[in-house]
Amino acid sequence: MMPAHRDGSIRLTIRSTPTDLPKVRTEVESLCRTLGFPQEVAGHVMLSVDEALTNIIRHAYGGSEDRPIDIELAPLFENSAPTGLRIRLRDYGQRVDLARIRPRELHDVRPGGLGVHIIRECMDVAEYAHAEDGGTVLTLIKYLPPCKQDDPP
Amino acid sequence: MNDQNHPPLQEHVRWVNRIAVVEIIGDVDLNRSAQFQQMLLDLLDARPERIVINLAQVPYMDSSGVASLVKLMSRTRRSGTGLRLAALTERVRSLFEITRLDGVFEIFATVEEALA
């Protein structure tokens, strides 16, 4: 895992190329597991981040592979105990109409357009905002589920 | 970037009578989905009676991989070719459940069951 800042967060900048995505997936899953997320939930968080990055590459940057994407992975704590993970993804690309970012109807079985649905299904919070100096910031939050005795470690 | 931990997608095709059994090895993500889709669509040129896709060695798939399978399903329906998915890993099965496609595709626990 990459070294964390003093507040426990991890910040990295990747290029808008699909070849950088596996590295991010590894970081996200590793941090989720460290924070105590069950394996399945960690997989869902990793998938959501992957889908969000895919959307940035395809839509905000129109497939250009050399643009920056800033990623912040910030553990959330309450009374020193981890309560969840906040992820911020920031691009500097073309602003999209935030009202148009919505999941499509699933009964319409066709290729594509599933990323937003996956993100909303898997994360507790998914908020898009325009950044002041251009681009878009996506904030994702996943809270740790209550512990159950039969959860795998 | 070092891509050693993300090796190229591998696919192996064997034929059982007129059924094409495709074994996929590796992550099917945005890096690999174009290759994945083209390989599957090319397979239709051989006019199989059915295609069985063995996903037992696909640890991870994203929505671009799912989109490739949806496109293949559309083509197989038009051509009257059967399409079955087999041996999904836990993560891939979860993706199909999240996208509600587990009720759209014919999914089998094992390749043997998909061949029956």
Side-chain angles (χ1 to χ4, degrees):
Chain A
M1 195 189 299
M2 293 191 68
H5 286 245
R6 292 175 70 180
D7 62 359
S9 66
I10 293 172
R11 291 168 202 154
L12 63 158
T13 297
I14 63 166
R15 294 169 302 134
S16 54
T17 171
T19 56
D20 275 8
L21 298 183
K23 176 177 72 173
V24 179
R25 292 203 298 265
T26 301
E27 287 291 334
V28 171
E29 183 177 30
S30 176
L31 182 55
C32 282
R33 297 295 285 149
T34 301
L35 291 172
F37 281 96
Q39 193 164 7
E40 184 183 17
V41 181
H44 288 172
V45 175
M46 179 180 77
L47 175 64
S48 299
V49 173
D50 203 34
E51 296 292 340
L53 292 171
T54 293
N55 284 344
I56 290 172
I57 293 169
R58 283 181 164 168
H59 303 301
Y61 288 143
S64 296
E65 297 204 344
D66 57 352
R67 306 291 304 280
I69 304 172
D70 298 334
I71 300 169
E72 181 191 58
L73 310 174
L76 303 175
F77 293 95
E78 191 174 302
N79 298 327
S80 302
T83 57
L85 176 64
R86 186 190 68 217
I87 300 143
R88 284 207 176 112
L89 306 178
R90 199 261 202 254
D91 70 66
Y92 300 83
Q94 186 176 345
R95 279 184 171 176
V96 293
D97 180 356
L98 301 183
R100 294 185 62 187
I101 304 174
R102 56 178 187 265
R104 70 167 171 80
E105 296 293 330
L106 292 185
H107 60 74
D108 177 18
V109 179
R110 58 181 167 81
L114 290 171
V116 175
H117 166 80
I118 290 169
I119 292 167
R120 293 202 187 280
E121 189 84 0
C122 293
M123 302 301 290
D124 295 316
V125 174
E127 291 177 350
Y128 295 85
H130 287 148
E132 279 185 11
D133 49 349
T136 303
V137 178
L138 169 60
T139 302
L140 303 171
I141 297 177
K142 187 67 181 179
Y143 296 107
L144 273 163
C147 287
K148 287 185 288 186
Q149 285 197 331
D150 55 352
D151 278 343
Chain B
M1 140 172 278
N2 186 337
D3 208 22
Q4 286 180 334
N5 294 325
H6 199 238
L9 195 67
Q10 294 180 52
E11 65 257 351
H12 304 291
V13 182
R14 68 183 169 97
W15 289 83
V16 180
N17 299 318
R18 292 190 57 220
I19 301 175
V21 182
V22 189
E23 181 184 26
I24 306 294
I25 302 171
D27 289 346
V28 183
D29 63 1
L30 192 59
N31 286 293
R32 316 287 187 224
S33 55
Q35 174 197 349
F36 179 61
Q37 178 173 300
Q38 193 57 53
M39 184 275 301
L40 293 174
L41 294 179
D42 287 349
L43 201 56
L44 287 172
D45 293 341
R47 297 184 177 279
E49 176 184 292
R50 184 192 308 165
I51 298 173
V52 173
I53 303 178
N54 179 0
L55 296 169
Q57 295 191 70
V58 177
Y60 179 79
M61 181 182 288
D62 70 3
S63 68
S64 69
V66 168
S68 298
L69 290 171
V70 170
K71 185 160 190 174
L72 176 68
M73 183 176 66
S74 170
R75 293 277 293 273
T76 55
R77 283 181 174 174
R78 266 188 276 159
S79 64
T81 307
L83 174 62
R84 294 180 175 183
L85 309 182
L88 277 61
T89 55
E90 195 175 324
R91 286 221 164 122
V92 175
R93 174 169 286 282
S94 178
L95 175 63
F96 276 78
E97 290 169 357
I98 292 167
T99 54
R100 316 281 194 270
L101 288 168
D102 52 330
V104 176
F105 283 90
E106 289 189 74
I107 297 175
F108 293 81
T110 65
V111 171
E112 289 68 31
E113 289 176 41
L115 283 169

